Amino acid sequence: DGGVFKVGSILSEKLNSLGVGVEHDTRSHEPHDSEAYRRSRRTAVKLLQTNPSAIIDLHRDGVPDPDFYTGEIYGVPVSKIRLVVGRQNPNMKANYDFAKRLKGHLDDKYPGLVKGIFMGKGDYNQDLSPRAILIEAGTHTITRERAQRGVAHFAEALPPVLGISAGPSTFKQGAQGTGGDMAALLFVVIAFILGFAIYLVVSTGSVEGAIQKLKEFVTVEWSNFLGKRKE
């Protein structure tokens, strides 16, 4: 059972577990003819409306020999992954760079998982995004379980390559802390200005007197500042 949709579900579930949101589209674009990519393009264009960080087009290769993709990762049987980049699209260089970064990360973590980067003659709708990639999750003659293990490993490369924090959430505590500190600082500054204004009104007996006092204060302080600068 090739089960490309079931393999895709594992990829989606693994990414979700890493804190990466996934829009997993399972509509069929059969038959596998010359118009298949035209049909799938409509789906890709629709997905682009969600402003994704990347587009992953998952396939099972038509190579009949299952040994072509057979591999092991730390003694566990898997299907190797092949990355495919289309030569006939304006994003070819960016797509290729994206593929190289994915392969580089996986070569370090799971040596042998990526079979290579294949430069195909089509565009595979990769002109739609500089981070579009087609992956062959083994051949249709290799077991689905092997393919699922392979894509689960592949998923681990996406967060670091895309710059997404892996974990149950992409929320960053540091960002919240900075915002909270700035809000607290702003509150302190506003409170100080308000308190100083009330003090001036009370001490002078009127708003006009407070304004005049403030002008005198600024004039004196500015003169002192300039005098110190000249020294």
Side-chain angles (χ1 to χ4, degrees):
D1 178 13
V4 67
F5 293 132
K6 293 179 180 179
V7 175
S9 293
I10 293 298
L11 176 60
S12 177
E13 290 170 10
K14 180 65 176 182
L15 287 170
N16 278 321
S17 73
L18 295 172
V20 180
V22 178
E23 185 74 26
H24 182 201
D25 195 293
T26 59
R27 74 190 68 194
S28 174
H29 302 107
E30 294 181 342
H32 298 295
D33 56 19
S34 60
E35 295 297 311
Y37 277 103
R38 187 183 299 275
R39 291 190 292 272
S40 65
R41 188 178 185 85
R42 290 194 289 268
T43 300
V45 169
K46 183 178 179 181
L47 291 173
L48 283 174
Q49 295 175 4
T50 64
N51 193 30
S53 298
I55 298 178
I56 310 298
D57 187 6
L58 177 65
H59 288 231
R60 301 297 302 278
D61 203 343
V63 176
D65 182 7
D67 292 335
F68 188 73
Y69 282 96
T70 298
E72 287 189 357
I73 298 297
Y74 303 125
V76 179
V78 301
S79 170
K80 294 182 179 181
I81 302 292
R82 184 157 70 165
L83 309 178
V84 181
V85 175
R87 296 196 305 265
Q88 298 178 4
N89 86 87
N91 283 326
M92 184 194 71
K93 185 179 184 303
N95 297 147
Y96 182 60
D97 288 343
F98 181 44
K100 284 196 300 182
R101 284 186 287 133
L102 289 170
K103 184 178 184 300
H105 184 87
L106 290 166
D107 285 348
D108 289 340
K109 191 167 186 178
Y110 299 115
L113 176 65
V114 178
K115 190 169 182 64
I117 301 174
F118 178 74
M119 302 299 294
K121 64 179 181 179
D123 65 24
Y124 311 120
N125 294 326
Q126 291 174 359
D127 60 301
L128 295 175
S129 171
R131 286 177 168 177
I133 191 71
L134 187 157
I135 68 171
E136 298 281 9
T139 177
H140 66 288
T141 56
I142 206 167
T143 66
R144 174 166 51 84
E145 289 74 20
R146 280 178 176 255
Q148 288 174 326
R149 295 188 199 108
V151 297
H153 291 320
F154 168 80
E156 295 180 32
L158 284 167
V161 170
L162 293 174
I164 300 173
S165 299
S169 172
T170 56
F171 174 79
K172 295 182 179 179
Q173 182 66 35
Q176 184 197 41
T178 301
D181 293 343
M182 288 301 295
L185 177 60
L186 182 61
F187 175 79
V188 170
V189 171
I190 291 174
F192 171 77
I193 292 173
L194 182 60
F196 185 63
I198 293 173
Y199 165 77
L200 288 178
V201 171
V202 172
S203 63
T204 60
S206 67
V207 174
E208 291 77 13
I211 294 174
Q212 182 60 37
K213 192 74 173 178
L214 181 60
K215 287 181 179 179
E216 293 173 0
F217 173 81
V218 171
T219 300
V220 171
E221 289 301 313
W222 182 247
S223 298
N224 290 339
F225 173 74
L226 291 178
K228 291 178 181 179
R229 288 288 299 272
K230 289 177 182 178
E231 293 175 2

